[in-house]
Amino acid sequence: MQEVMDVPDNIPQELLEKAECIIVFPSVLKAAFIVGGSYGRGAMVCRSGEHFKGPWGSPAMYVLEGGSVGFQIGGEATDLVLLVMNERGASSILDNKVKLGADLSAAAGPKGRDASADTDAALRAEILSYSRSRGLFAGISLEGSSLRPDDDASADVYGRKVTAREIVLGGKVSIPESGQHLVRVLQKNAPHNESAKASSK
């Protein structure tokens, strides 16, 4: 996430400040020959408190799985960042496996620090997706991919069985040492939920 924030043409600050949750998938593996597939494991961090208005909380582990048609021939590892833009989107992925584009609306996110966030995609989508490959940063469509909590990985991180909902909304799971840098990066770059401020005015 630190490397993504350091890319000059990156996620618009305005969108980062309005996201309820951010999911980071380092090195999603894509393999393709006409018909392709992808698989990645990562972490979701949400803003704490009621209506996701508080500081960034503890990370829950997630899995991204998907198939596609038309990917390039060969294999590639890509970093993905997903912004969850509203409460419905955040709540939907806490408990269940969801399909992007079907259960939740997803769109390739606009990019550039000064890019206008008022695009149709940004206003409608519950999840905005970004990819970084070979140093290049771009919005990417993940329609048809599935997103689900990885409770086994969360158990490995926290040393006990714990659900994504308990981690994100329970308020009783402290940030593990392995997740502290990620949370610090988010807290530094987007300390306040600007969408919550706007809706309360």
Side-chain angles (χ1 to χ4, degrees):
M1 192 68 205
Q2 181 66 64
E3 290 172 10
V4 166
M5 297 310 304
D6 289 342
V7 174
D9 194 19
N10 74 354
I11 300 169
Q13 184 68 28
E14 183 180 348
L15 291 179
L16 195 62
E17 290 172 347
K18 289 181 177 178
E20 314 282 9
C21 305
I22 292 179
I23 314 175
V24 181
F25 292 102
S27 295
V28 173
L29 298 176
K30 293 192 287 189
F33 184 83
I34 312 285
V35 176
S38 59
Y39 176 82
R41 300 177 83 177
M44 177 173 81
V45 181
C46 296
R47 298 181 189 272
S48 59
E50 189 179 3
H51 306 300
F52 303 96
K53 291 180 182 177
W56 295 98
S58 299
M61 302 301 109
Y62 271 77
V63 171
L64 180 76
E65 301 158 319
S68 61
V69 176
F71 272 120
Q72 75 288 346
I73 294 173
E76 182 182 7
T78 303
D79 300 327
L80 295 180
V81 177
L82 309 185
L83 305 187
V84 185
M85 301 306 296
N86 57 39
E87 276 192 61
R88 180 184 177 275
S91 296
S92 296
I93 58 180
L94 283 178
D95 296 317
N96 306 306
K97 178 177 181 177
V98 296
K99 194 164 189 176
L100 303 182
D103 302 319
L104 286 180
S105 58
K111 67 190 182 88
R113 290 184 191 273
D114 301 318
S116 171
D118 296 328
T119 64
D120 287 344
L123 290 172
R124 285 197 314 261
E126 287 159 313
I127 292 182
L128 297 176
S129 51
Y130 292 89
S131 70
R132 189 185 71 126
S133 180
R134 299 191 185 98
L136 299 176
F137 198 73
I140 186 173
S141 174
L142 293 176
E143 281 207 20
S145 298
S146 299
L147 190 59
R148 64 174 172 83
D150 189 347
D151 291 339
D152 289 340
S154 289
D156 290 342
V157 169
Y158 291 98
R160 60 187 172 90
K161 190 171 181 178
V162 59
T163 66
R165 179 169 288 277
E166 289 169 333
I167 294 168
V168 171
L169 299 180
K172 296 178 182 176
V173 179
S174 58
I175 300 169
E177 186 177 344
S178 57
Q180 287 177 2
H181 182 66
L182 171 59
V183 175
R184 278 197 300 268
V185 169
L186 293 174
Q187 194 61 34
K188 178 184 175 184
N189 287 280
H192 305 291
N193 187 340
E194 298 298 332
S195 63
K197 284 184 180 181
S199 62
S200 62
K201 286 181 180 177

